[in-house]
Amino acid sequence: MAEFALQIYQDNGLEVPENMEAELDAALERIDTAEEAAKKVINLFEDPERVAELRGDDSERAITPALLERDAGITKADLRAYENWGKQAYESGDYAGASAVLFNLEGVLRAGGLLSSNPRMLSLSWGKLAACILNSDWDSAILEIKALSAAIGSAAGDKDYPEFGAVQALQARSWLLHWSLFVCFNHAEGRTFMIEFFAQPENIEAIQNACPHLLRYLTVAHVMLIGRHRNFHDLLKVLAQERHSYQDPITRFLEALRVEFDFDGAQTMLQACEEVLKNDFFTSEATEAFMSGARMFIFETFCRIHHTLDMNMLAERLAFNATEAEKFLVDLIRGSKLDARIDSARNYVVIGTGKSGQKVHTKVSDRTKDLASRAMALTTNLDAFEQKEERERRRRQLAASDEY
């Protein structure tokens, strides 16, 4: 990283601090020293044939510290040196290399009997997650988040490590939730993962007790999915509970729209949301997607309680001009196959053109037309089952009397 910092100074024509080159030389010396100390383990894991030989003919034998010491002459001190080499690789910006080192080391220590709740294993897990995030390996990062979450839960209840109590578990889980934001706003399925991960009881408790500001990001994810996730109503309850400890334009927008049905308040908050999102590190790239989801949310909420909607009123609510609002609604009706039409003469959107009533009637008829026959079949099956049970009961009574 010292080399990277030096490059920034040079690229921008800035005067390089006197101690910068000395720091770079010292960093390179630390890397060389760490690599030399871990050379034996590095060479082993870079040799697939040697690793396969240690695993045995069936390739199922675990590589444990004891096996490495017996068959490869690698001691615990060598493994510590290998761990330090991974740390140096991480600090020098070689995140892929650091991740590989930590993966190999974790496998050896786990095979040697260390549990995921062991402080050393927790440290390795944090390192793996950090390396995955900095290397933009989002798929692996999601797996590491899940594994680390389980490890934190195990450590909190492990009597062998009493120093890791409830407070430490809360702190660790809070950090994990913060780190997960990098993944949630970069992975293709990150929003859905965030909703499901944050909604886990231990995580929502951590949010409520230590970091209620994370409700902003959870709200953003739900709005982008237009409230169609099964956990949406749970979020509304949490927002109401935590209003005293945290609220911002984003959480207030959702409350105004779906709890209070205050469309004026929602409109005011929506205008403030855009500025907040643009200035937030995690949501700046998602601003357009949020605003689109929020406008669709407003329109769908209107459709739930109105039969006709004035186009000018909708344009105002959606923060559009008249032309943009009309284009938005046309695209929405076509894309979502919404049962609505635009009445250009009156400048209205009409919800329900008559087709939906027929569809609902047809669905109700289809669901209920064979209800009587299904009820009769169920009654017959139940009678047959009771008769069978009665015969079995009598058979057992006769068998018992014969034995007696």
Side-chain angles (χ1 to χ4, degrees):
M1 299 305 288
E3 185 177 6
F4 178 68
L6 179 63
Q7 189 66 41
I8 291 177
Y9 278 101
Q10 294 173 344
D11 291 345
N12 290 278
L14 302 174
E15 183 180 354
V16 179
E18 294 180 1
N19 63 337
M20 183 67 71
E21 293 187 4
E23 289 182 5
L24 176 58
D25 292 339
L28 293 174
E29 184 178 351
R30 286 195 301 271
I31 293 171
D32 292 339
T33 302
E35 184 176 10
E36 185 63 30
K39 200 69 177 177
K40 188 186 297 184
V41 188
I42 293 172
N43 291 339
L44 170 69
F45 283 110
E46 288 182 348
D47 186 352
E49 294 182 0
R50 183 71 178 118
V51 172
E53 182 182 341
L54 288 173
R55 291 191 182 281
D57 296 334
D58 56 3
S59 299
E60 293 184 357
R61 184 167 58 185
I63 299 179
T64 64
L67 177 67
L68 288 175
E69 186 168 5
R70 186 186 71 226
D71 294 356
I74 293 175
T75 64
K76 292 182 178 179
D78 292 325
L79 291 176
R80 284 287 185 184
Y82 187 58
E83 184 176 354
N84 182 55
W85 158 241
K87 181 175 181 290
Q88 294 300 324
Y90 176 87
E91 292 180 349
S92 66
D94 181 12
Y95 304 119
S99 181
V101 169
L102 295 174
F103 177 82
N104 293 334
L105 188 60
E106 184 185 48
V108 171
L109 296 179
R110 192 183 302 279
L114 286 188
L115 300 177
S116 58
S117 57
N118 182 282
R120 189 178 181 188
M121 295 294 282
L122 278 173
S123 178
L124 293 177
S125 296
W126 281 109
K128 287 173 63 183
L129 175 57
C132 289
I133 291 173
L134 291 167
N135 202 39
S136 299
D137 185 359
W138 308 121
D139 288 332
S140 298
I142 282 184
L143 297 177
E144 293 302 329
I145 288 172
K146 293 177 179 178
L148 191 49
S149 178
I152 291 171
S154 299
D158 196 329
K159 296 180 180 179
D160 293 333
Y161 307 104
E163 66 277 5
F164 195 90
V167 174
Q168 289 72 25
L170 177 61
Q171 292 173 339
R173 197 165 291 282
S174 298
W175 278 112
L176 180 60
L177 291 167
H178 283 83
W179 284 31
S180 70
L181 293 178
F182 290 98
V183 183
C184 295
F185 283 96
N186 284 283
H187 193 281
E189 300 297 326
R191 278 59 159 185
T192 302
F193 170 73
M194 180 199 293
I195 291 171
E196 295 176 352
F197 182 63
F198 279 31
Q200 293 175 8
E202 60 274 17
N203 290 331
I204 201 67
E205 287 177 8
I207 291 173
Q208 291 180 287
N209 289 312
C211 42
H213 53 273
L214 292 182
L215 290 173
R216 165 187 293 185
Y217 305 103
L218 188 55
T219 302
V220 168
H222 273 286
V223 171
M224 291 175 68
L225 294 179
I226 323 175
R228 290 173 181 162
H229 196 279
R230 61 181 179 276
N231 294 332
F232 175 67
H233 293 288
D234 294 332
L235 172 64
L236 295 180
K237 294 177 184 177
V238 173
L239 290 179
Q241 292 170 359
E242 299 303 318
R243 186 186 302 175
H244 68 282
S245 60
Y246 181 80
Q247 57 178 327
D248 64 18
I250 297 168
T251 61
R252 285 295 301 131
F253 163 76
L254 192 57
E255 282 193 279
L257 183 63
R258 293 308 300 268
V259 178
E260 302 160 4
F261 292 95
D262 178 6
F263 294 104
D264 291 329
Q267 177 192 352
T268 302
M269 288 299 126
L270 183 59
Q271 294 172 350
C273 284
E274 188 169 10
E275 190 66 23
V276 172
L277 292 165
K278 286 181 178 178
N279 289 285
D280 187 294
F281 174 83
F282 292 106
T283 62
S284 57
E285 297 295 325
T287 302
E288 186 176 343
F290 174 88
M291 296 300 289
S292 176
R295 288 176 177 126
M296 193 173 296
F297 224 149
I298 292 173
F299 183 69
E300 286 192 357
T301 306
F302 266 119
C303 292
R304 290 172 182 265
I305 57 178
H306 294 290
H307 177 65
T308 58
L309 304 172
D310 181 80
M311 290 278 288
N312 293 328
M313 181 273 295
L314 274 178
E316 183 181 354
R317 302 293 188 196
L318 300 175
F320 278 142
N321 59 41
T323 305
E324 291 173 336
E326 184 173 1
K327 182 178 184 301
F328 172 79
L329 293 172
V330 169
D331 293 341
L332 178 62
I333 292 171
R334 288 176 178 172
S336 63
K337 297 181 180 179
L338 187 67
D339 186 18
R341 63 183 175 84
I342 296 177
D343 187 341
S344 300
R346 295 192 299 163
N347 202 32
Y348 277 179
V349 177
V350 181
I351 310 300
T353 59
K355 298 179 182 179
S356 61
Q358 184 179 0
K359 290 179 180 177
V360 171
H361 175 74
T362 303
K363 289 179 180 179
V364 172
S365 298
D366 291 342
R367 293 286 182 89
T368 59
K369 64 183 180 182
D370 59 343
L371 194 59
S373 59
R374 283 157 54 190
M376 182 65 72
L378 184 61
T379 303
T380 302
N381 291 337
L382 185 59
D383 290 342
F385 177 77
E386 290 177 345
Q387 292 173 8
K388 180 180 179 182
E389 286 293 308
E390 180 63 21
R391 288 196 300 270
E392 183 64 22
R393 185 180 65 81
R394 290 179 180 176
R395 187 190 65 78
R396 287 196 298 268
Q397 288 178 343
L398 290 173
S401 61
D402 290 342
E403 290 178 2
Y404 180 75

